[in-house]
Amino acid sequence: MSSNKKYWKSVEELNENSSIVETLRNNEFVEEIPTGDFLSDKESLSSSSTTRRDFLKYVGFSTAAATLAACEGPVHKSIPYVLQPEQIIPGVADYYATTMFDGFDFANLLVKTREGRPIKIENNTIAGAAFAANARVHASVLSLYDSMRLKQTKVAQKEATWQEADLKIKASLADAKAKGGQVVLLTGTLASPSTESLIAEFIAKNPTAKHVVYDAVSESAALDAFEAVYGERALVNYDFAKANTIVALDADFLGDWQGGGYDAGYAQGRIPQAGKMSKHYQFEANMTLSGAAADKRVPMKISDQKLALVKIYNVITGAAVATGKVANEDVVMKAAQQLKAAGTKGLLVSGIQDKNAQLLVLAINQALASEAFSTMGTRQIRKGSNEKVAQLIADMNAGSVHTLIMSGVNPVYTLADSAKFVSGLKKVKLSAAFSLREDETASITNIAVPAPHYLESWNDLMLTKGTYSIVQPTIRPLFSSKQFQEALMSWNGNAGTYYDYLKASSAAHTNGVAWNKAVHDGVVVGVSTAATSGSADYAAAANALAASKPANGFELVLYTKTGLGDGQQANNPWLQEFPDPITRVSWDNYVTISQADAKAAGLENKIVANGGLNGSNATIIVNGVKMDVPVIVQPGQAVGTLGLALGYGKKAALKEEMQVGVNAYTFYTNFNNVQSASIVKAAGEHEFACVQSQKTLMGRGDIIKETTLTIFNTKDSKEWNEMPMVSLDHKEVEATKVDLWESFDRSVGHHFNLSIDLNACTGCGACVIACHAENNVPVVGKSEVRRSRDMHWLRIDRYYSSEDTFAQDNEKKENFNGLFGDKGSLGGFGQMEHPADNPQVAFQPIMCQHCNHAPCETVCPVAATSHGRQGQNQMAYNRCVGTRYCANNCPYKVRRFNWFLYNNNDEFDFHMNNDLGRMVINPDVNVRSRGVMEKCSMCIQKTQLTILTAKREGREVAADEFQTACSAACSSGAMVFGDINNKESKVAKLVEDKRAYHLLEHVGTKPNVVYHVKVRNT
């Protein structure tokens, strides 16, 4: 029988009206526990000296209160559709075909939208869609949601309406017409038939008007040469798939050379088939993606490359132009002989910014009758003229320009001597700029008009001659923007909308294809005629090039980085955090220098105690202009040269975190990317955010396996794709045939594998940004990256050899004998940490390997990580308590601990910290909170959608229908994803290929990611 006796702890409890008693009944802790101050404050947490024991006591005390608070989820008001659009089904993505071109980057795209929000860029794979998205194009969807965009028209730096600005511009145009004043339209390359038609109408109505095309990164030398020979201002669209021997001089065609987009064709010839693959020679000053992929890379000054080009011209054409001796002449002559022997299967390309050099490129390819060189389907993506831009600046300073209207250009930032442009701008009666942001130029013009993002606008493009592409909007304009084409129509007095004008004018280019189909497909392929064949005085060009003199002091070679390009998207945090493929440094600009030159100047890099990379500061002097820049000692940099990237150093319309680096355009005098420079050590050190501190392979031959084409063709695969052996019952057996666990039957249902071909991977990084977009990967900023807390689910490791080749690396390691002496491992491994002056390079994408026998799964105390039936290693975020045992037990180091709450946190003021930026978030993937493990999920949301779509349509999944974000983004074909249980799939065949191997096979993890041995044609 229960007792009704009353118990109490204090006399106070006997007072029924006590407020203290009431408070204690409802809340055990009267004072609020400051858990948030500790757990969410980045600074206090990183500097805390709390011991593990104290931390656990603290957490144990506060868990109940913190958990109760967490149960109260945030409330977000949602407003339902009054009338739901027919094409929008909640939870189902819509895809729109479009084309992107911003004057620098271009691609044929599919844009994924969810409930009206563009959230992801995909490649358009329809026939005729020739250009895939690079890393910057994939990131451009985030630039749509840039909170620093220009939102309202400004007149005299004050907010106004478009109508007010339009009236002022019309009045200025009328005044110019009456007074005979010059009107100038200054734009980037347009490549748009309808826009060029509107500009022609504008000039017809304004006889004193002219159109000047300005490319921030000039290709004027190649354009001038092609125009001189063929009468057309365009660039050759090379087909690298048709070349068996490729010789490149200062042409990073796997990067941004002449627009890039050549990696798919190049990769076709690099995968050994029927015992053959292309041969690639690269002569360059800076280490580039193309140099990293080459069979034979020769570091060479630009001045020497000019002489080398003349020598190759002599061999191919039989000319006898006198030249002096050039460095590495034996390799130059060997390359020339092999190029001549290849004949129609040979190709020479060059990025030397000299019209004479570009004329010799045309002459050599004409003499070879190269199949990869065709004047049909020429590229229309660069049309700028250095001479016309220089003339415009002179006219502005002379006071002869009445009205200047700019669109898509930022000359105050990108011109070397922008002070002349600024002084000339003050003499122009009216200046107007159509710009996405209130950048350096738009902020000082009389009128600044917000331009729409390409995802908000209609347009047409002809990226290559004969191929017509449609740009269609995927979202209504977010701000009060006005398209340049709409403004032209207003000034021309055209009735109707630009959409109507575009639709009417498209008929001339669609070859009878209906408008709706053209919009749906995004691309219409027409008939392209070859440019009229011509010639030039090639002998005179060769003699002029042979007489060119080397630079005084160092040759500073300016280039564009894979991440930021020409700098248009400098406020994009995905691109700022994207590690450079070669240096692996993010959030920074720097000068690259060879080891020999660095030693002579007292410049160095070093790894400090916390694992961060530090570098010396240096002062560069070019034409009397000084600039302080941090230094990266770059293996493979040609002695006597320096490298510096354009696109950094912007300040206007950028968040403070994005204002990094120096503006190298200041050195871009006369649009020449090679300048005479001197360099001296400056005071202090610079702290870099580098995500890969190991610089060489250090003989770890089982991580990257490689062989030569000769060995590949003549030896058994067991010799060049060696299987590690282990001891079982005192006998050597293959490591993959020994199991500590019983294996499940994985032949039923789907079993996913990802194949990565090291021959085809160029390190371009498109997959990294695509993974960011698909999986809501947070941006953590420079400080966290420096602490090795980057959150990339997918990384691309870059390895150098310490010897000239990886084979010599392995040989050196295997010949170690004892600890000390010439062959001692202590000194030997120390030497192997230093890359060669001209190392071989290999790229290796690394993500979660989805091991069938995963070591992470066995150590998780709460079963947060487990294995799926379809081969994916899964993470249950709400189970994870952040012990990090799994990260310690992972041999591949692919798991990322989420140290902080990156979403809606002022400490990480990137796109996830504002409502506009969060519009890019993929609703199919949750945004993780702090304290959990993150890693590649092999895009399980995409594989499940594919299965459900096929089920709904009552069919089987097609052989190669499965995709991940990375495999879909890979334009070179290096990444192939699929179901190995479907024997018709590509991946099922690739897994059985003799080049296939797994990382660290001796560990016995049985990964579902398979790599292919790298073969070099040496």
Side-chain angles (χ1 to χ4, degrees):
M1 188 172 179
S2 63
S3 171
N4 292 320
K5 187 185 288 188
K6 187 172 184 178
Y7 295 90
W8 68 93
K9 291 182 180 178
S10 70
V11 176
E12 186 69 23
E13 282 189 68
L14 296 175
N15 182 357
E16 293 291 337
N17 297 319
S18 172
S19 60
I20 297 174
V21 172
E22 187 66 21
T23 301
L24 288 170
R25 280 176 184 165
N26 295 320
N27 187 359
E28 181 182 357
F29 308 108
V30 180
E31 292 185 8
E32 185 178 348
I33 302 166
T35 53
D37 293 349
F38 179 75
L39 291 177
S40 66
D41 185 353
K42 181 177 73 171
E43 295 302 323
S44 63
L45 185 56
S46 62
S47 61
S48 171
S49 59
T50 307
T51 66
R52 175 182 170 84
R53 184 183 295 273
D54 289 340
F55 178 77
L56 289 173
K57 282 194 296 184
Y58 178 83
V59 172
F61 174 68
S62 63
T63 298
T67 305
L68 277 171
C71 290
E72 297 179 11
V75 176
H76 296 282
K77 292 182 179 179
S78 298
I79 302 172
Y81 290 112
V82 178
L83 291 172
Q84 181 176 313
E86 189 177 316
Q87 67 273 25
I88 293 181
I89 303 172
V92 177
D94 288 313
Y95 290 84
Y96 296 88
T98 191
T99 306
M100 184 267 194
F101 178 55
D102 63 3
F104 190 74
D105 292 310
F106 51 93
N108 303 113
L109 308 174
L110 292 178
V111 181
K112 179 182 179 181
T113 67
R114 283 293 299 269
E115 288 76 57
R117 293 180 297 117
I119 63 169
K120 179 86 168 34
I121 298 297
E122 305 276 6
N123 289 323
N124 190 348
T125 55
I126 197 169
F131 299 111
N134 61 21
R136 296 186 296 269
V137 175
H138 277 288
S140 65
V141 67
L142 183 56
S143 294
L144 168 68
Y145 303 117
D146 184 356
S147 60
M148 302 293 285
R149 280 178 59 186
L150 182 58
K151 301 175 179 67
Q152 182 73 37
T153 298
K154 290 190 174 183
V155 176
Q157 284 77 51
K158 294 181 180 179
E159 289 193 357
T161 63
W162 160 247
Q163 287 74 20
E164 293 174 72
D166 191 33
L167 286 173
K168 285 185 177 294
I169 294 171
K170 284 179 176 175
S172 182
L173 292 174
D175 188 49
K177 193 173 185 178
K179 296 178 179 177
Q182 191 179 137
V183 176
V184 178
L185 299 179
L186 178 64
T187 73
T189 299
L190 297 169
S192 168
S194 64
T195 310
E196 286 165 0
S197 176
L198 283 169
I199 288 175
E201 292 177 26
F202 178 84
I203 292 172
K205 289 182 178 290
N206 299 275
T208 60
K210 67 177 182 179
H211 180 208
V212 177
V213 181
Y214 166 50
D215 294 326
V217 181
S218 176
E219 290 290 351
S220 199
L223 291 165
D224 291 345
F226 192 84
E227 190 173 25
V229 176
Y230 294 101
E232 177 187 338
R233 196 164 185 78
L235 297 172
V236 178
N237 191 26
Y238 298 95
D239 187 352
F240 282 81
K242 294 179 179 176
N244 290 343
T245 301
I246 300 163
V247 177
L249 295 96
D250 194 42
D252 184 16
F253 55 84
L254 296 180
D256 293 334
W257 174 77
Q258 295 192 1
Y262 292 113
D263 44 352
Y266 175 79
Q268 286 182 40
R270 298 300 292 169
I271 298 173
Q273 294 174 339
K276 295 181 179 180
M277 62 182 287
S278 62
K279 177 85 171 180
H280 174 193
Y281 287 91
Q282 185 82 12
F283 300 90
E284 61 184 13
N286 298 336
M287 174 68 83
T288 67
L289 293 180
S290 303
D295 296 305
K296 181 64 179 177
R297 178 185 179 272
V298 180
M300 185 179 280
K301 296 171 72 170
I302 305 296
S303 52
D304 284 340
Q305 289 181 44
K306 290 179 179 180
L307 300 180
L309 183 57
V310 176
K311 289 181 181 293
I312 295 170
Y313 169 77
N314 284 343
V315 171
I316 301 298
T317 64
V321 178
T323 59
K325 192 167 179 62
V326 67
N328 294 292
E329 187 160 339
D330 55 335
V331 184
V332 173
M333 298 309 293
K334 184 178 179 181
Q337 295 293 348
Q338 290 195 10
L339 189 63
K340 186 174 184 179
T344 60
K345 291 293 183 181
L347 174 65
L348 182 136
V349 292
S350 176
I352 298 172
Q353 294 301 310
D354 184 307
K355 182 179 176 182
N356 292 318
Q358 294 300 325
L359 284 170
L360 294 194
V361 171
L362 299 177
I364 290 167
N365 286 314
Q366 283 178 347
L368 292 170
S370 173
E371 293 177 16
F373 173 93
S374 173
T375 59
M376 292 181 67
T378 50
R379 291 189 170 201
Q380 307 294 307
I381 45 90
R382 298 287 187 273
K383 291 288 183 74
S385 170
N386 295 350
E387 289 181 10
K388 290 182 179 179
V389 173
Q391 184 61 50
L392 169 63
I393 295 169
D395 290 347
M396 288 167 63
N397 281 283
S400 57
V401 176
H402 183 285
T403 304
L404 176 65
I405 301 171
M406 294 171 280
S407 175
V409 293
N410 185 10
V412 175
Y413 166 65
T414 57
L415 281 171
D417 193 359
S418 61
K420 284 186 179 178
F421 184 87
V422 172
S423 65
L425 199 63
K426 292 174 182 175
K427 297 177 182 179
V428 174
K429 288 187 171 55
L430 183 85
S431 59
F434 288 75
S435 176
L436 273 171
R437 299 167 189 84
E438 195 173 4
D439 56 29
E440 288 81 356
T441 303
S443 60
I444 62 170
T445 53
N446 304 128
I447 297 172
V449 183
H453 192 268
Y454 78 93
L455 293 173
E456 300 172 315
S457 51
W458 286 101
N459 202 358
D460 62 353
L461 293 166
M462 194 168 282
L463 300 177
T464 57
K465 196 173 180 181
T467 303
Y468 186 70
S469 305
I470 301 291
V471 180
Q472 68 166 319
T474 57
I475 189 173
R476 291 189 65 178
L478 297 172
F479 307 116
S480 300
S481 55
K482 178 60 65 172
Q483 198 167 346
F484 180 56
Q485 290 86 345
E486 293 174 327
L488 283 170
M489 291 185 68
S490 172
W491 304 330
N492 292 348
N494 290 353
T497 64
Y498 176 56
Y499 170 80
D500 296 329
Y501 184 93
L502 175 64
K503 186 176 179 180
S505 63
S506 68
H509 309 286
T510 54
N511 294 316
V513 174
W515 167 253
N516 284 345
K517 180 170 174 55
V519 172
H520 174 272
D521 293 350
V523 180
V524 176
V525 180
V527 179
S528 175
T529 54
T532 306
S533 183
S535 186
D537 191 348
Y538 296 131
N543 281 300
L545 203 62
S548 58
K549 302 295 182 186
N552 295 321
F554 284 91
E555 289 182 359
L556 174 66
V557 183
L558 303 172
Y559 68 101
T560 55
K561 267 197 193 181
T562 307
L564 281 199
D566 65 348
Q568 289 186 60
Q569 295 192 74
N571 204 40
N572 191 311
W574 285 349
L575 294 176
Q576 288 282 10
E577 192 147 297
F578 172 74
D580 182 78
I582 300 295
T583 64
R584 309 296 290 137
V585 172
S586 61
W587 292 99
D588 249 319
N589 196 14
Y590 40 79
V591 62
T592 56
I593 188 171
S594 69
Q595 179 67 54
D597 290 331
K599 193 172 183 179
L603 304 168
E604 63 176 352
N605 287 148
K606 60 184 179 183
I607 306 293
V608 293
N610 66 358
L613 177 70
N614 285 9
S616 303
N617 286 320
T619 301
I620 302 178
I621 306 168
V622 177
N623 298 322
V625 179
K626 295 183 178 180
M627 192 180 290
D628 288 336
V629 193
V631 169
I632 287 286
V633 180
Q634 176 62 57
Q637 183 82 28
V639 174
T641 68
L642 306 170
L644 184 61
L646 303 165
Y648 286 81
K650 284 174 68 72
K651 302 292 183 187
L654 261 69
K655 287 186 177 181
E656 186 178 350
E657 294 87 347
M658 314 291 180
Q659 296 177 22
V660 297
V662 297
N663 183 7
Y665 282 111
T666 308
F667 292 152
Y668 196 34
T669 307
N670 297 325
F671 301 98
N672 191 344
N673 70 325
V674 182
Q675 301 285 337
S676 296
S678 61
I679 185 169
V680 293
K681 186 174 182 178
E685 282 187 345
H686 184 81
E687 295 184 345
F688 290 107
C690 182
V691 297
Q692 187 180 358
S693 56
Q694 71 266 32
K695 295 180 179 178
T696 74
L697 193 66
M698 286 188 66
R700 291 167 290 187
D702 55 351
I703 293 178
I704 288 187
K705 294 185 180 181
E706 69 159 23
T707 187
T708 65
L709 185 62
T710 303
I711 294 173
F712 175 77
N713 287 333
T714 58
K715 300 288 181 69
D716 187 85
S717 63
K718 289 184 179 180
E719 293 191 38
W720 49 262
N721 188 6
E722 188 178 355
M723 177 64 67
M725 309 296 282
V726 296
S727 177
L728 179 67
D729 297 332
H730 306 290
K731 295 179 181 177
E732 274 201 340
V733 296
E734 292 183 355
T736 55
K737 293 182 179 177
V738 179
D739 280 338
L740 295 179
W741 293 274
E742 287 186 15
S743 290
F744 294 100
D745 178 10
R746 303 190 184 279
S747 62
V748 179
H750 304 291
H751 187 191
F752 298 121
N753 268 210
L754 176 64
S755 167
I756 301 175
D757 195 325
L758 299 182
N759 262 49
C761 178
T762 64
C764 72
C767 54
V768 176
I769 303 297
C771 178
H772 259 286
E774 176 67 30
N775 295 298
N776 302 331
V777 176
V779 173
V780 301
K782 180 178 179 178
S783 177
E784 291 299 295
V785 172
R786 181 170 166 81
R787 290 182 172 92
S788 301
R789 293 177 179 175
D790 57 288
M791 293 299 295
H792 294 101
W793 286 15
L794 162 61
R795 70 177 191 263
I796 303 179
D797 286 344
R798 177 269 302 125
Y799 292 105
Y800 298 133
S801 58
S802 66
E803 303 298 307
D804 287 336
T805 67
F806 284 105
Q808 290 171 333
D809 242 16
N810 290 332
E811 186 180 339
K812 181 171 185 174
K813 182 198 73 169
E814 288 162 6
N815 287 329
F816 285 155
N817 186 4
L819 293 176
F820 306 101
D822 293 339
K823 293 188 177 180
S825 60
L826 287 180
F829 275 114
Q831 292 169 15
M832 291 184 78
E833 290 179 354
H834 298 288
D837 291 334
N838 182 27
Q840 284 191 346
V841 185
F843 296 110
Q844 187 173 57
I846 300 284
M847 67 293 290
C848 174
Q849 301 292 293
H850 296 274
C851 311
N852 287 321
H853 292 167
C856 57
E857 296 169 13
T858 58
V859 294
C860 183
V862 292
T865 181
S866 59
H867 211 69
R869 179 81 194 186
Q870 297 168 344
Q872 289 143 317
N873 177 254
Q874 300 170 343
M875 277 297 304
Y877 298 121
N878 61 339
R879 293 185 69 105
C880 178
V881 294
T883 63
R884 290 179 284 157
Y885 297 159
C886 57
N888 292 333
N889 219 35
C890 174
Y892 307 105
K893 302 305 169 194
V894 290
R895 305 178 80 85
R896 297 281 180 264
F897 184 65
N898 196 328
W899 286 91
F900 301 104
L901 178 66
Y902 302 107
N903 177 39
N904 204 19
N905 187 342
D906 290 343
E907 292 288 341
F908 302 94
D909 191 17
F910 308 112
H911 69 287
M912 283 190 181
N913 195 40
N914 63 77
D915 289 337
L916 190 63
R918 282 195 292 270
M919 285 179 72
V920 83
I921 286 174
N922 181 4
D924 292 333
V925 180
N926 71 337
V927 177
R928 284 74 61 189
S929 188
R930 63 170 172 247
V932 302
M933 269 295 165
E934 295 190 23
K935 67 168 194 68
C936 159
S937 67
M938 215 175 250
C939 290
I940 191 168
Q941 70 278 4
K942 290 175 72 72
T943 56
Q944 290 305 108
L945 176 63
T946 303
I947 292 167
L948 292 172
T949 301
K951 183 178 180 180
R952 188 176 67 249
E953 295 174 359
R955 60 176 177 81
E956 291 185 358
V957 179
D960 295 310
E961 191 174 353
F962 287 112
Q963 289 282 11
T964 57
C966 55
S967 66
C970 184
S971 56
S972 68
M975 290 182 170
V976 178
F977 179 77
D979 177 10
I980 58 170
N981 285 342
N982 183 341
K983 299 306 177 186
E984 299 302 314
S985 65
K986 286 182 184 176
V987 75
K989 297 178 176 66
L990 288 168
V991 167
E992 300 299 325
D993 190 271
K994 64 181 181 178
R995 285 199 296 135
Y997 74 98
H998 296 99
L999 287 190
L1000 306 180
E1001 282 168 313
H1002 57 274
V1003 179
T1005 55
K1006 294 190 178 296
N1008 283 317
V1009 179
V1010 60
Y1011 293 84
H1012 285 73
V1013 174
K1014 188 173 182 68
V1015 180
R1016 295 188 191 269
N1017 192 355
T1018 54

